[in-house]
């Protein structure tokens, strides 16, 4: 054992090489890159994603409560690092609306605790840079904490955590968070000044403040928002309808931003109509800065759900792409990749990242072959960072809000799927509704926790009271199905087949017995009591010991749906056997009249069965 441990801990050149190549998967696939076959698709998808990234990065800065330049930093570094460390060929990693929202909530809370006024009509703090510096410091500390948790999860191989987030929980969480995102953007749509709501019930409080201040709506922003939403939605719908004819998606967001910026600049919308604009966006890179480690302890609790969510979304999208294009990914390496996409950029004023579904789908549809496309996207963002960022000074915030809201179409359309989801599985629909409601009405973090706990409770309840049925034989076959769900099934003469569709363990032992007795109209203990009574009274004959309704001689328990059983489940079968044996012994007649034997049913497993006469 000691020699084996020493061998596993030894460091050889071969082990070191394998470690480096596992840690940086790019070293494995890049030397095998087929340039003639892959380069065109990677360049096209990289350019398209880069063009989409720029307006989204600027827009999502509103959600994070940060300056647009930090969103551009995030997009740049995430693409470069995932190119080096990611195992998926098609996933697009960078800014994500849900992650930006969670970052913004933590940043706003810390600023309020620091005594800053977060009202939109209080620009003085932004003017002297103190609010900007504090928000950036909180964001980078939070980002480093999230990254550290991702890396620790990778070291301890906690990829299995994603199994506890079902599709219903994730969909409900995303939809509830989308409602929160939409609510946070309404004030920019109509140009009103209201404080940023914090804490539980943010959605309700924000809507109350919106209606209280609706009379202050800026007409210029309202008109601009209406036009932008109409253009964006129309372009998206046309793009979805004719996507099979388009080689790449229409860069509608970029066109809207360019046109809106030109109109705002030459129309002097900020000076004449007091329309809120993005303001100055610096060029180049701000010098790196070490995050404040004392802040990391304060945001550690908030970082955990964000670390889990970012990992789960990344792995889910990676597995989806890997399955579609027939290759494999490594979940723990994805944890490291997401973690380092946050660790290194946190020193360069970036915030948390994750894989994004919409951009991933665009990436695959535009011919992406490898993560070389991510490098091309990073170069597009770098071009904006170095030269083009100041041109967006006059861009109205309402235009950015429109881009964010229209990007939520997919998540908000989940409401249309509720009737179909309900018909497929009522419990999953209930999980979706509970998670969505908690995420929207309480908070995103608590909503995720509520969804996980509620889904586990549903599993427990479903195993405690599972479906039970008697089976009938499909005519002219050796297959058996539920005789209530299917018609024209044949019953086996003098045999009843009982199926229990759940694991059998201590929590559902009594339910198993009750269901068995209810469906078969047979209770061995009751029969034993009746035999004893009749023996004492000596009034009945042996033929009357078993009631007439028990018109069967054999009972088979189908264990094909019992995935596991504990010692309580094992003892349950013995107790059924002993109960029948006891009923037999009470009468002391010919043992052949009430024999007990073991039956192998459909080659699944050995189950308890007994013959009654």
């Amino acid at each position: 054992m000691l020699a084996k441990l020493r061998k596993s801990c030894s460091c050889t050149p071969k082990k070191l090489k394998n470690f480096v190549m596992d840690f940086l998967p790019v070293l494995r696939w890049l030397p095998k890159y087929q340039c003639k076959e892959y380069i065109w698709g990677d360049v096209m998808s990289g350019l398209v994603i880069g063009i989409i990234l720029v307006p989204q990065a600027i827009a999502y800065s509103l959600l994070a409560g940060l300056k647009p330049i930090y969103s551009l930093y995030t997009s740049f570094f995430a693409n470069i690092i995932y190119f080096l460390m990611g195992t998926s060929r098609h996933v697009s990693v960078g800014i994500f609306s849900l992650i930006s929202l969670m970052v913004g909530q933590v940043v706003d809370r810390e600023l309020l605790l620091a005594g800053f006024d977060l009202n939109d009509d209080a620009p003085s703090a932004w003017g002297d840079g103190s609010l900007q510096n504090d928000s950036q410091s909180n964001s980078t500390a939070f980002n480093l904490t999230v990254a550290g948790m991702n890396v620790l999860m990778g070291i301890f191989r906690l990829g299995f955590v994603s199994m506890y987030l079902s599709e219903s929980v994730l969909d409900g969480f995303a939809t509830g968070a989308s409602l929160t995102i939409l609510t946070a953007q309404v004030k920019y749509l109509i140009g009103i000044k209201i404080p940023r709501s914090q804490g539980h019930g943010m959605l309700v409080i924000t809507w109350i403040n919106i209606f209280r201040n609706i009379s202050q709506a800026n007409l210029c922003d309202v008109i601009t928002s209406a036009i932008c939403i109409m253009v964006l939605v129309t372009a998206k719908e046309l793009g979805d309808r004719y996507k099979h004819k388009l080689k790449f998606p229409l860069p509608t967001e970029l066109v809207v931003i360019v046109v809106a910026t030109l109109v705002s600049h030459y129309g002097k919308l900020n000076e004449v109509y007091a329309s809120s604009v993005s303001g100055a966006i610096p060029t180049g890179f701000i010098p790196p800065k070490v995050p404040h480690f004392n802040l990391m302890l304060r945001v550690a609790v908030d970082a955990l759900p964000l670390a889990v969510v970012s990992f789960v979304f990344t792995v889910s999208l990676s597995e989806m792409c890997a399955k579609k294009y027939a290759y494999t990914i490594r979940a723990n390496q994805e944890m490291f990749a997401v973690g380092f996409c946050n660790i290194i950029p946190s020193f360069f004023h970036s915030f948390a990242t994750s894989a994004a579904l919409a951009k991933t789908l665009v990436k695959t549809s535009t011919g992406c072959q490898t993560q070389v496309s991510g490098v091309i996207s990073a170069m597009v963002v770098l071009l904006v960072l170095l030269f083009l960022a100041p041109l967006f000074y006059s861009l109205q915030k309402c235009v950015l809000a429109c881009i964010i809201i229209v990007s939520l179409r997919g998540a908000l359309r989940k409401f249309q799927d509720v009737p179909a989801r309900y018909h497929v599985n009522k419990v999953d629909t209930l999980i979706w509704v509970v998670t969505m409601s908690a995420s929207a009405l309480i908070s995103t973090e608590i909503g995720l926790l509520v969804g996980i706990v509620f889904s586990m409770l549903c599993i427990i309840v479903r195993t405690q009271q599972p479906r039970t049925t008697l089976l009938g034989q499909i005519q002219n076959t050796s297959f058996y199905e539920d005789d209530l769900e299917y018609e024209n099934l044949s019953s086996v003469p003098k045999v009843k087949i009982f199926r229990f569709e759940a694991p059998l363990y201590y929590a559902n032992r009594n339910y198993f017995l009750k269901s068995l007795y209810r469906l078969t109209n047979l209770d061995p203990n009751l029969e034993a009591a009746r035999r004893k009574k009749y023996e004492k009274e000596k009034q009945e004959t042996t033929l009357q010991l078993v009631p007439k309704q028990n018109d069967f001689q054999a009972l088979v328990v189908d264990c094909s749906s019992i995935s596991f059983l504990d010692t309580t489940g094992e003892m349950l079968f013995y107790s059924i056997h002993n109960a029948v044996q006891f009923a037999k012994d009470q009468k002391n007649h010919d043992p052949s009249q009430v024999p007990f034997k073991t039956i192998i049913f459909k080659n699944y497993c050995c189950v308890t069965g007994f013959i009654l006469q």
Side-chain angles (χ1 to χ4, degrees), residues 364-528:
T364 57
S365 66
T366 51
C368 173
Q369 298 293 330
T370 68
Q371 283 298 331
V372 169
S373 62
V375 178
I376 304 298
S377 300
M379 294 303 104
V380 175
V381 176
L382 181 63
L383 181 66
V384 176
L385 275 171
L386 297 179
F387 306 107
L388 305 179
L391 299 179
F392 297 104
Y393 177 92
S394 299
L395 178 61
Q396 294 167 271
K397 288 184 178 180
C398 64
V399 176
L400 300 177
C402 292
I403 293 173
I404 293 173
I405 290 174
V406 173
S407 71
L408 301 175
R409 287 163 57 249
L412 296 177
R413 278 180 174 171
K414 296 291 184 181
F415 286 104
Q416 297 178 354
D417 300 336
V418 172
R421 187 190 293 264
Y422 180 79
H423 288 298
V424 172
N425 193 306
K426 296 179 177 61
V427 175
D428 282 351
T429 306
L430 182 60
I431 293 173
W432 183 90
V433 171
V434 169
T435 307
M436 182 274 299
S437 302
S439 300
L441 299 177
I442 305 176
S443 71
T444 51
E445 296 86 354
I446 292 181
L448 181 63
L449 179 62
V450 168
I452 295 173
V453 172
F454 186 75
S455 64
M456 289 184 176
L457 289 176
C458 287
I459 293 174
I460 294 172
V461 170
R462 280 192 278 189
T463 58
Q464 283 187 307
Q465 295 186 338
R467 190 166 175 267
T468 56
T469 183
L470 292 179
L471 303 183
Q473 186 177 17
I474 301 176
Q475 296 181 3
N476 302 321
T477 70
S478 59
F479 298 102
Y480 298 80
E481 292 295 346
D482 185 354
D483 58 2
L484 295 178
E485 187 174 347
Y486 296 91
E487 298 179 353
N488 301 321
L489 297 180
S490 301
S491 59
V492 182
K494 296 186 178 181
V495 175
K496 287 192 175 181
I497 306 172
F498 173 75
R499 175 182 287 173
F500 187 77
E501 299 183 354
L504 181 57
Y505 65 114
Y506 67 93
N508 58 17
R509 173 187 182 278
N510 292 332
Y511 185 79
F512 177 92
L513 286 174
K514 289 179 182 179
S515 301
L516 177 65
Y517 297 158
R518 173 174 53 83
L519 291 174
T520 60
N521 295 319
L522 172 68
D523 187 340
N525 295 322
L526 181 60
E527 297 305 319

Side-chain angles (χ1 to χ4, degrees), residues 210-221:
I210 289 172
F211 284 113
R212 283 178 178 174
N213 296 272
I214 195 71
S215 59
Q216 302 174 10
N218 187 302
L219 185 60
C220 178
D221 286 344

Side-chain angles (χ1 to χ4, degrees), residues 176-197:
S178 297
L179 292 175
T180 304
I181 293 170
L182 186 149
T183 299
Q185 300 309 301
V186 171
K187 65 179 182 180
Y188 298 112
L189 286 181
I190 59 179
I192 60 175
K193 310 293 185 181
I194 60 173
R196 301 181 200 173
S197 301

